[in-house]
Amino acid sequence: MRTVYRRRLLSCLTFLMIVLSLCWVLLSPVKAQEGLVAAKAPIVVDGREILKVREAGDITAAERAEQINEQLEKAVKSDQDPEIKVEQRNNQPALMLNGRYLMTITAPDVTAPITPQNQADRWVKKLGDAIATARSERSLQYREQAWLITLAVIGAALAIHWLLGRLWKLARRRVLRRLRTSVEPTDNHQGIRLSFRVTLAIARLVLWCSAILYTANLFPLSRQFSYEITAGLRAVFTAPLFTVSNSAFSLVDLLILLALFWALIVGVGTLTQLLQMRILDRTGMARGAQEIVAVIVKYALLVVGTIVLLQVWGLNLSSLTILGSAVGVGIGFGFQDIAKNLGSGLVLLFERSVQVGDFIEVNDHIGLVERVGARSIILRTLDQISVIVPNSRLLEDEVINWSHNRAPSRLHLPVGVAYGSDLNVVKDALLKAADDHTEVVSNPSPRVVFIGFGDSALDFELLIWLRRPERQLFVKSDLLFHIDALLRQKNIEIPFPQRDLHVRSGEIRLSESLEASLLHLVNGKASPASDVSFVSDDKPNSPSV
């Protein structure tokens, strides 16, 4: 459940970053023209930007634009047909709207080589067309057509939304079918699935944003409302938060950088998976060597991609030298365990003392190595439980690697038989049990070693060799079952511990009836392996059992 929630959270964060990225692309102005845009103010009619004016004397550009927009809005709502003329005032062309002063064309409003008079003539035509269009969009016929177009656009967007989901699903199945390997798909194809989810979310987001923007621009009120929201968002997100190397960065810039980093991580992960599954797997390289190449390529691409992203983003890396030194000191003190595990991971990758597929024993855990990462390894125990072991522990503690150099591993099976047994028969039975098992290696051949005389048994050890040490638990069980059956066929006993108990006392005096009862009880229920004696100094001929 935690994995599912984690994936959903990552998907939501990715979707949010994509939305913010699109907002930044749509709303934020080009940085090279920020100074020029800040000095101008737009003239807007029903959410359509007609032209931009600059400050004139003591009046700022924003105050000037506000006055002009108010008069244009009155002209749109008025029943009188708009009439815009150009008059000369103080040797400067001035625009008159229905006989009232609208604005004066000043030198800052003109871009060379156009003269103020030519600029005035152009603006008269633009303003006249804008007012006429705004008045026509308020008619009943236009609104009916706009609603029909809106319903058609929403229906088409819903159909395309469903169609995109089907197409992406089919494409994902086809790609995963081609990339399918013997490894569990959840581990190897997670990056590809996430990439398809992200691209599908981007496609659907672009679809609905386009549909909403298109329908919003059909109606004057919604167009004006969307323009005001856009202007407010642009002011909030593009406001500079801090300055580095004479470059100002806003909130959207930071979010865009995070989104680019996330795209870099997902892209590099997918690329390394494709490299390992489509290229390295066909070269015949060992699985551990494939992991080494994949990890090196992954981190090399991440480092190079990070440097390129920061440079493209506009950050001068030479100015971060002091910050990098401080971060390095902080890592050395606060993240020394992580740094130690990362260093140990590099040593393991190049030394190859522990590789993917090895059967190892570290501390109290024994199992197969599923993955060798930069910080830790994943050990799958015989109980199919994944244990995450830090890399530093593999270098500091003793590690038993049963698969090192892929040589056969020898196992010891202790066996005890009763005293008096035929040792040659015991030896032949043990060797036959080893020869009958298919997983026991014939070269080196199994051997039987006589360890010594134990307290209750003659101690032997059966020495066998295995190619697959991860199967030792099951092989031992099979051999012990078979050994027990063979020894029973040969009438060889496997003894249990025996003890002789002698009770002596000089003061024991028993009556004849009690002695008879005890003798009857002992003869009827006592264990044959027990030897109980009653010795009395007063009665030297007292019975003993």
Side-chain angles (χ1 to χ4, degrees):
M1 293 299 292
R2 292 182 179 178
T3 304
V4 175
Y5 291 144
R6 191 181 296 113
R7 290 178 183 174
R8 290 180 179 177
L9 178 59
L10 291 177
S11 301
C12 293
L13 291 176
T14 304
F15 184 78
L16 179 60
M17 289 182 178
I18 293 171
V19 172
L20 294 175
S21 302
L22 291 176
C23 291
W24 180 77
V25 173
L26 295 174
L27 304 180
S28 63
V30 181
K31 287 188 176 182
Q33 300 178 354
E34 282 183 352
L36 181 63
V37 173
K40 292 183 178 181
I43 304 299
V44 181
V45 177
D46 282 347
R48 289 194 180 99
E49 188 174 300
I50 309 303
L51 50 91
K52 290 182 179 181
V53 296
R54 295 179 181 270
E55 60 182 9
D58 297 335
I59 303 176
T60 62
E63 294 174 349
R64 190 181 178 196
E66 184 179 359
Q67 296 175 0
I68 297 172
N69 288 332
E70 289 180 356
Q71 293 194 39
L72 292 176
E73 185 178 358
K74 292 179 180 179
V76 170
K77 295 179 179 180
S78 175
D79 296 334
Q80 182 182 359
D81 293 334
E83 183 181 2
I84 305 177
K85 295 182 179 181
V86 180
E87 295 182 357
Q88 294 292 328
R89 289 192 175 187
N90 298 326
N91 297 325
Q92 290 180 331
L95 300 183
M96 307 296 293
L97 176 60
N98 294 332
R100 299 183 60 182
Y101 173 78
L102 182 64
M103 61 181 295
T104 300
I105 309 301
T106 60
D109 295 329
V110 181
T111 303
I114 300 174
T115 62
Q117 185 63 38
N118 293 336
Q119 185 77 312
D121 295 337
R122 292 184 178 183
W123 282 7
V124 167
K125 186 177 185 311
K126 284 185 177 181
L127 293 175
D129 293 342
I131 294 174
T133 302
R135 297 183 68 178
S136 65
E137 290 178 350
R138 282 167 168 75
S139 63
L140 180 61
Q141 181 180 2
Y142 175 83
R143 283 182 290 183
E144 291 177 352
Q145 293 179 355
W147 278 112
L148 291 176
I149 295 174
T150 299
L151 294 177
V153 169
I154 293 176
L158 289 173
I160 297 175
H161 179 96
W162 177 84
L163 183 61
L164 287 175
R166 299 292 298 178
L167 292 177
W168 252 255
K169 188 175 181 179
L170 293 176
R172 184 184 63 184
R173 287 180 178 177
R174 182 172 299 179
V175 171
L176 292 179
R177 191 181 299 114
R178 291 181 179 179
L179 300 178
R180 185 169 297 153
T181 59
S182 59
V183 187
E184 294 183 2
T186 306
D187 298 331
N188 281 281
H189 303 158
Q190 181 179 357
I192 298 176
R193 286 194 176 94
L194 183 60
S195 300
F196 272 95
R197 292 194 192 101
V198 172
T199 53
L200 178 60
I202 293 175
R204 286 176 170 174
L205 179 64
V206 172
L207 170 66
W208 284 107
C209 287
S210 302
I212 291 173
L213 289 176
Y214 181 80
T215 54
N217 287 330
L218 294 176
F219 302 94
L221 182 61
S222 61
R223 189 189 309 121
Q224 180 68 28
F225 185 69
S226 63
Y227 179 82
E228 293 177 355
I229 293 178
T230 301
L233 290 176
R234 182 186 294 116
V236 171
F237 285 102
T238 59
L241 296 178
F242 60 90
T243 303
V244 178
S245 300
N246 298 325
S247 298
F249 297 96
S250 63
L251 177 61
V252 173
D253 295 329
L254 295 178
L255 296 176
I256 290 299
L257 181 62
L258 293 177
L260 292 176
F261 271 125
W262 176 254
L264 175 65
I265 293 173
V266 174
V268 169
T270 304
L271 182 62
T272 52
Q273 287 179 359
L274 292 175
L275 173 66
Q276 186 174 1
M277 291 184 292
R278 302 291 292 179
I279 299 178
L280 297 180
D281 194 36
R282 296 184 178 181
T283 59
M285 298 174 60
R287 193 175 174 188
Q290 294 180 21
E291 289 287 336
I292 293 174
V293 175
V295 169
I296 292 176
V297 171
K298 178 179 180 180
Y299 286 99
L301 290 177
L302 285 177
V303 172
V304 174
T306 301
I307 295 175
V308 172
L309 281 182
L310 292 178
Q311 292 284 357
V312 173
W313 192 60
L315 186 62
N316 188 4
L317 297 181
S318 61
S319 62
L320 298 179
T321 306
I322 299 177
L323 179 61
S325 301
V327 172
V329 173
I331 291 176
F333 285 100
F335 300 96
Q336 53 183 340
D337 290 338
I338 297 178
K340 181 171 63 174
N341 289 325
L342 291 175
S344 302
L346 293 177
V347 173
L348 289 176
L349 287 175
F350 286 101
E351 193 178 69
R352 301 181 64 183
S353 57
V354 175
Q355 304 179 50
V356 176
D358 286 354
F359 188 72
I360 68 172
E361 182 177 354
V362 53
N363 294 337
D364 297 331
H365 305 292
I366 181 171
L368 281 171
V369 178
E370 282 196 337
R371 187 180 69 88
V372 178
R375 190 192 65 84
S376 60
I377 69 168
I378 296 179
L379 184 68
R380 180 64 64 91
T381 65
L382 298 178
D383 297 328
Q384 298 302 309
I385 298 175
S386 296
V387 179
I388 300 175
V389 183
N391 289 330
S392 59
R393 189 171 300 175
L394 300 177
L395 298 182
E396 294 173 355
D397 300 338
E398 293 182 355
V399 178
I400 300 176
N401 192 342
W402 296 80
S403 305
H404 194 260
N405 295 329
R406 301 298 173 183
S409 303
R410 190 170 74 175
L411 298 181
H412 298 246
L413 273 75
V415 178
V417 298
Y419 278 90
S421 302
D422 191 340
L423 301 187
N424 292 325
V425 174
V426 174
K427 180 178 179 181
D428 294 340
L430 296 179
L431 292 177
K432 177 175 174 52
D435 294 336
D436 292 344
H437 203 286
T438 57
E439 296 191 39
V440 175
V441 177
S442 58
N443 187 19
S445 60
R447 299 188 61 183
V448 176
V449 179
F450 188 8
I451 300 300
F453 299 94
D455 293 338
S456 303
L458 301 175
D459 296 329
F460 292 85
E461 271 194 359
L462 175 61
L463 306 180
I464 60 173
W465 299 82
L466 296 179
R467 291 285 184 187
R468 299 178 60 189
E470 67 273 12
R471 294 275 303 164
Q472 58 180 279
L473 180 64
F474 307 102
V475 173
K476 284 182 178 181
S477 176
D478 295 340
L479 287 175
L480 291 177
F481 274 114
H482 197 22
I483 289 172
D484 180 72
L486 290 175
L487 292 180
R488 289 180 184 274
Q489 291 178 5
K490 304 296 183 181
N491 295 321
I492 303 296
E493 295 184 2
I494 299 177
F496 51 86
Q498 302 180 17
R499 295 292 183 268
D500 291 337
L501 177 61
H502 298 274
V503 180
R504 299 179 181 273
S505 175
E507 299 295 332
I508 296 179
R509 296 179 180 179
L510 303 175
S511 63
E512 294 181 358
S513 59
L514 181 58
E515 287 180 2
S517 300
L518 289 175
L519 287 173
H520 177 73
L521 178 63
V522 171
N523 291 329
K525 297 184 179 181
S527 174
S530 301
D531 186 4
V532 182
S533 300
F534 297 94
V535 181
S536 175
D537 293 341
D538 295 339
K539 294 183 179 181
N541 297 323
S542 59
S544 62
V545 179

